[in-house]
């Protein structure tokens, strides 16, 4: 047996001997552990609403009202099947609630966002205050607050659920509790949270009702849309992202939730976006109009055409280019605030 | 000469000898330097608008359009005449601008607030954006930003000027500059600052255009008033201050200016407030309705009945009680953010 | 086929049909996704140094000087073999460097800590400044700073490597670069970073050389040990953790790195600690003395006796009880700052 | 009477009429209120220790031990006689304590610093912990903490008192209280605060004992001096200030007190500093060596030669140039943190 073989043999023997001691050689894996650039296992994906909706409706039949709280179709990243996540750190799903249904009250440390996709008249109650849902509304369920929901609509209501479930699983910090009451007592009139904190004013006795999460838990679409339109008239177009606003926690100026940032952007008719990439993977929900996104990573290419209520994901460090002939409005969310808190956020804008 | 005399003599001789060396004995003044509780030289005062207005109009005649920028009647604290201040740290004045007048553009490190008291149709331009004034609007001139104003109204317009002039004089940090242009170029459409930052959203490329000062430099009364009304319906009444909101810098959740906090409050009809005192002296401008304030400090008592457009000041550590039979709305400002930054703010609420 | 069967059949058919569309039913997995309390896959584990050391020495023979940078035995959590992590978010390994070896310069976004376990005379150079290693020293390699190391010792030097590798892999934010130069230029004298920031003073022109990471990248054991001893004399004993100090970033008062907190604690002779649990799993390195830790989670129990240079891990939400007859000093690190930044940290102290 | 006279007359009549209503015309004072640049009333001044010391000793005879707490000679700015301040916002005085004297315990919201000028063996007790004074030590009396002092020295001990007395007077926020006990109970061993927070470590159960003020209330000269020397060797010389360090609150990285920043700097032998000016006026205490400072403001010039224990003040926006043939060490303090908190700090460095 010649020298190289011996060296090889020596190493393999070492591996075998130390394996039972829970020891592993770094030199065999270093390259994978410390990559030159992010090599996410996630892949881009598109969920066409007209393909997803029939399954939602079938779920409406298959899942009883009693189980309504769970009637969600998880948008699973094609490369991460079985892990219930759309990026490594984020969960996304489409939830259906039918007329008359009521989902019991519970709470958990996971932060949740709801973005209303279809239908009006359902409601969610957070910490004793109800909010009626309308398409395009962005609603927060702050960490560890009691919440339930139900529907007084006359048709199906569908919303996008975005949660930090994989993140809390990764950090082993998930807690949950079911309420003894089926649905919680309503203690405040609808809109009172917004009244307190939504008008660039705040109660003098400052209380941060939801800790690091925005005291406004409902951002109505009509207001956000108005902001977008006025900004479009008043400001130069961003060559990469069109007209883009981030939702703000008015108590801090930061993101609405400590783990998730949310955005609303408008691509004017004829927009031809330049490419950019960032370390935070983002999930998009198409609110209005049509457009397309070209995504590339190394040698790989993806191209998605999207319309209203479609959803798609752009993974970390994938270059995306947005286009729209007719113009469109996009809602999106990502884990950017965590990247910022950890000082690991990186972004690259190509021209 | 007996012993006490000698001791006295020794001291006086010492004082005389060291005086030329810029030395002074602490033991003669310690008590005054470190009081048991705040002993402000300021006194409470009330300025009835029907008394002040005639002087403003006479100033309108006495002061030419060329001098319009200076056509302000300073509300001087009666105990601090000649010092151009309403409390030791704050300046307040009432400014009149007449139809067609234009005040030239300038900037200074002093932060300024304008609270519109009478008339519509005047405008102020800040950093290239114009804002049209309406009664009750709260407008900011951020530190070191170019600003000018003028009037296209058909009648007189009067607003309250609130500045930190005495503070910057005390800290020797005042700088000012006159623009070469008579009035600045308008570069952004009216309302674009509000569009960017006023809807609990913010541009993705975050820029803090005015540093520590709110990027919203105009808080329209109609929105603030709406917030107040909704809060009144949705929240319990504060026994001391009725329904009170503070204006917020949406980028920080803090005060609109680093040196000045501003507030809007409503006393519902029949309100009988309990007494409170705080270290920050406050200046009030009555927006709507009528009421009264009882103020006490030690043995002294003051009682003011107020109506629309009246102004009054409550000095530091004076106990105030607000009352209103018909209900009223009050705007107020103080240097509370400085007290907070210096960790010297103290408040006491009596019951 | 009876009703239940039908229902079951309907669901399974639905699953089959939507699977190709990257859709998964939440109702089948909800319980696992939102657990009542953290259910970490990690398990407690102990690495006895006298068992690990022989493998390190064999690695010293198997791995050439050229590969020295990689001569690390990863301490792999027994329940997470093949994932190169000791908790889900943290990496730990023991690195050996032999006399005369030099590891080439590189940098990466992963933050690294070195805690010196055995031997003196090796050095690490960070951003142009060298630090000589002594047992007990805590040394930081800030994110994205050039670093290399070598040894001028006459015997083997071993240190504990602690990194946030799994965290950056999870967030897809890892970047790395190799230096063109074999080892970097030394531009500052040893100890100059400590001189600048280590004495509760800082240069007037404040610069945060390493961003969110501590400008002190070497915390000598002699100083930390002295702090521990003085504190032991001056302060009451903590019934749970004995005498425990956290290392501080003097520019912020926070943790030395944005992703990792580090601690040094002393258990006095005869210490019988009470149990506590927290969401952040912690890795321990025994510096001096002997002791034991009893760990429990649900029905499971672990009990480890430890001595100098042993290492052990306490996973999230496992109750730990520390004991020591002879007294001991423990170094430890965890991802607590991330739990804090995400507002998900929870701790429970039993009595 | 011609037109101008009339105009003049009209204005004067207006002034007379409105004066009783506490109204003053801005247009007569605007220029003074909003200056082009800071126009401080303070002037530079020097206090030679050999001139001041005899007065201190005479005060030692004139002021009984019972009054010892007040035995301070205030360094009054020559342009602000009778106001007990050295700049508009800061107070400075030299305090003498004689062997065996004890000053009773009290507390106040004013923050105080002591910088030991002459003698060893006196002590101050803060919040139950005693600190023995040595020349060059910088000691803090945090706002609203009980403190007393006394002397077990065999000779006189003199220190510089620096307080924010004028600032709290200006903001009407001064509170004070005398202890019922003559001197407070000693509850912690000397040095335990430093042990807890002085070594770039902190107790795990973080408590901020003094709020916004540094938990280290004594910064020993030997450590600060060592930092200065090491920095001098390790870093390039600053052409304006030589080698200069600021004292740090290790819990925040900011200034030791919210109202006062403190500095220690070394001018190496042969140093010829360039000129700089800043909005915060600074008070200097010469610790070692000799040097000179040239100060200018507009047309005015001052030149001071200084030696050990001399004190001098450089007012706001005065250009200062420091020089030293033999080399020297200077301690200084200013209200810079307030300028920073109010976003009004400005600095200009000439070359």
């Amino acid at each position: 047996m010649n020298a190289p073989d011996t060296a090889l043999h020596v190493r393999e023997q070492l591996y075998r001997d130390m394996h039972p001691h829970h020891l592993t050689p770094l030199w065999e894996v270093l390259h994978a552990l410390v990559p030159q650039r992010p090599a996410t296992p996630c892949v881009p994906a598109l969920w066409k609403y007209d393909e997803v909706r029939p399954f939602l409706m079938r779920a409406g039949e298959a899942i009883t009202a009693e189980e309504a709280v769970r009637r969600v179709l998880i948008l699973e990243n094609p490369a991460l099947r079985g892990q219930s996540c759309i990026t490594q750190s984020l969960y996304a799903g489409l939830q259906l609630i039918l007329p008359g249904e009521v989902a019991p009250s519970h709470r958990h440390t996971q932060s949740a966002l709801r973005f209303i996709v279809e239908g009006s008249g359902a409601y969610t109650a957070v910490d004793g205050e109800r909010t009626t849902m309308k398409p395009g509304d962005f609603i927060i369920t702050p960490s560890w607050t009691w919440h339930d929901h139900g529907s007084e609509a006359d048709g199906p209501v569908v919303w996008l659920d975005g949660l930090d479930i994989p993140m809390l699983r990764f950090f082993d910090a998930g807690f949950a509790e079911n309420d003894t009451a089926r649905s919680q007592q309503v203690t405040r009139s609808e809109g009172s949270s917004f009244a307190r904190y939504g008008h660039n004013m705040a109660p003098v006795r400052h209380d941060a009702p939801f800790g690091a999460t925005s005291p406004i838990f409902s951002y109505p679409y009509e207001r956000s849309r108005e902001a977008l339109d006025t900004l479009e008239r008043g400001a130069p177009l961003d060559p990469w992202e069109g007209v883009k606003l981030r939702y703000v926690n008015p108590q801090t100026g930061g993101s609405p939730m400590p783990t998730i940032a949310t955005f609303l952007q408008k691509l004017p008719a004829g927009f031809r976006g330049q490419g950019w990439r960032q370390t935070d993977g983002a999930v998009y929900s198409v609110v209005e109009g049509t457009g397309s996104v070209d995504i590339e990573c190394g040698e790989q290419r993806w191209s998605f055409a999207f319309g209203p209520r479609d959803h798609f994901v752009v993974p970390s460090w994938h270059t995306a280019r947005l286009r729209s002939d007719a113009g469109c409005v996009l809602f999106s969310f990502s884990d950017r605030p965590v990247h910022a808190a950890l000082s690991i956020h990186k972004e690259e804008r190509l021209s």
Side-chain angles (χ1 to χ4, degrees), chain A residues 289-300:
Chain A
T290 58
S292 67
V293 58
D294 296 318
I295 304 173
E296 62 180 87
C297 183
E299 296 312 298
Q300 297 172 284

Side-chain angles (χ1 to χ4, degrees), chain A residues 205-217:
Chain A
R205 312 291 153 199
H206 210 290
D207 54 354
F210 306 140
T213 301
S214 174
I216 306 173
F217 63 88

Side-chain angles (χ1 to χ4, degrees), chain A residues 94-107:
Chain A
L94 287 169
Q95 180 155 4
L96 168 69
I97 187 161
L98 296 172
E101 291 184 337
V102 174
S105 174
H106 67 151
R107 65 177 181 177

Side-chain angles (χ1 to χ4, degrees), chain A residues 222-236 243 245 266:
Chain A
E222 62 188 2
R223 286 177 179 274
S224 308
R225 189 70 167 81
E226 176 192 346
L228 213 50
D229 294 340
T230 331
L231 182 60
E232 183 183 12
R233 287 191 299 273
V243 181
L245 288 166
K266 184 176 186 180

Side-chain angles (χ1 to χ4, degrees), chain A residues 29-318:
Chain A
V29 292
L30 179 61
H31 187 72
L33 292 187
V34 186
Q36 297 295 300
R37 67 195 53 75
T40 179
C42 305
V43 295
L46 170 73
W47 288 265
K48 299 290 294 179
Y49 194 65
D50 56 15
E51 287 172 21
V52 175
R53 194 176 191 283
F55 294 116
L56 273 170
M57 295 309 143
R58 282 172 60 181
E61 293 153 17
I63 302 305
T64 65
E66 286 57 40
E67 299 175 293
V69 68
R70 314 171 161 214
R71 197 192 291 117
V72 180
L73 299 188
I74 304 172
L75 307 181
E76 264 193 345
N77 193 287
L80 301 170
R81 297 310 303 266
Q83 296 181 38
S84 304
C85 59
I86 191 162
T87 70
Q88 287 203 107
S89 63
L90 295 171
Y91 160 104
L94 287 169
Q95 180 155 4
L96 168 69
I97 187 161
L98 296 172
E101 291 184 337
V102 174
S105 174
H106 67 151
R107 65 177 181 177
H108 41 68
T109 51
Q110 288 83 358
S111 293
L113 71 85
R114 328 242 178 246
F115 186 74
I116 316 310
V117 169
E118 174 185 350
S120 293
Y123 64 85
T124 184
V126 170
D127 195 42
E129 179 179 338
R130 264 196 190 190
T131 293
T132 305
M133 300 172 167
K134 288 190 299 302
D137 292 351
F138 158 50
I139 297 170
I140 300 171
T141 305
S143 176
W144 209 238
T145 51
W146 292 110
H147 56 280
D148 53 44
H149 50 260
S151 178
E152 295 163 349
D154 48 16
V157 174
V158 177
W159 64 74
L160 171 69
D161 279 323
L163 289 93
D164 53 17
I165 285 173
M167 219 184 290
L168 268 72
R169 183 173 52 198
F170 180 75
F171 287 112
D172 293 318
F175 294 85
E177 206 174 354
N178 287 317
D179 200 348
T180 50
R182 176 167 174 71
S183 67
Q184 62 181 307
Q185 199 68 29
V186 171
T187 60
R188 284 179 289 132
S189 59
E190 178 153 4
S192 56
S193 289
F194 194 92
R196 271 194 192 67
Y197 299 96
H199 300 278
N200 305 301
M201 304 184 87
V204 174
R205 312 291 153 199
H206 210 290
D207 54 354
F210 306 140
T213 301
S214 174
I216 306 173
F217 63 88
S218 177
Y219 294 74
Y221 186 58
E222 62 188 2
R223 286 177 179 274
S224 308
R225 189 70 167 81
E226 176 192 346
L228 213 50
D229 294 340
T230 331
L231 182 60
E232 183 183 12
R233 287 191 299 273
L237 203 62
D238 179 276
W240 294 269
E241 304 183 281
V243 181
K244 190 170 185 178
L245 288 166
R246 57 182 189 85
Y247 293 83
V248 164
N249 174 349
Q251 284 187 317
T252 64
S255 59
M257 291 162 277
T259 51
I260 303 178
T262 52
F263 309 90
L264 192 69
Q265 78 194 97
K266 184 176 186 180
L267 309 182
F271 184 74
R272 294 277 173 277
Q274 297 177 25
W276 89 97
R277 55 184 179 176
Q278 57 203 23
T279 51
D280 55 314
V283 179
Y284 290 80
S285 181
V286 183
V287 193
E288 303 175 31
T290 58
S292 67
V293 58
D294 296 318
I295 304 173
E296 62 180 87
C297 183
E299 296 312 298
Q300 297 172 284
R301 299 280 180 283
W302 298 262
S303 190
F304 302 141
F306 53 73
R309 300 170 178 172
D310 291 345
H311 294 82
F312 60 92
V313 57
V314 178
S316 171
W317 220 239
H318 281 55

Side-chain angles (χ1 to χ4, degrees), chain A residues 326-350:
Chain A
C328 61
V329 175
L330 307 174
F331 171 84
S332 59
F333 68 95
S334 83
D335 59 356
R336 190 176 302 177
V338 183
H339 289 243
L342 275 49
S343 299
I344 58 176
H345 189 257
K346 193 171 172 183
E347 182 177 42
E348 203 172 72
R349 320 186 86 199
L350 317 174

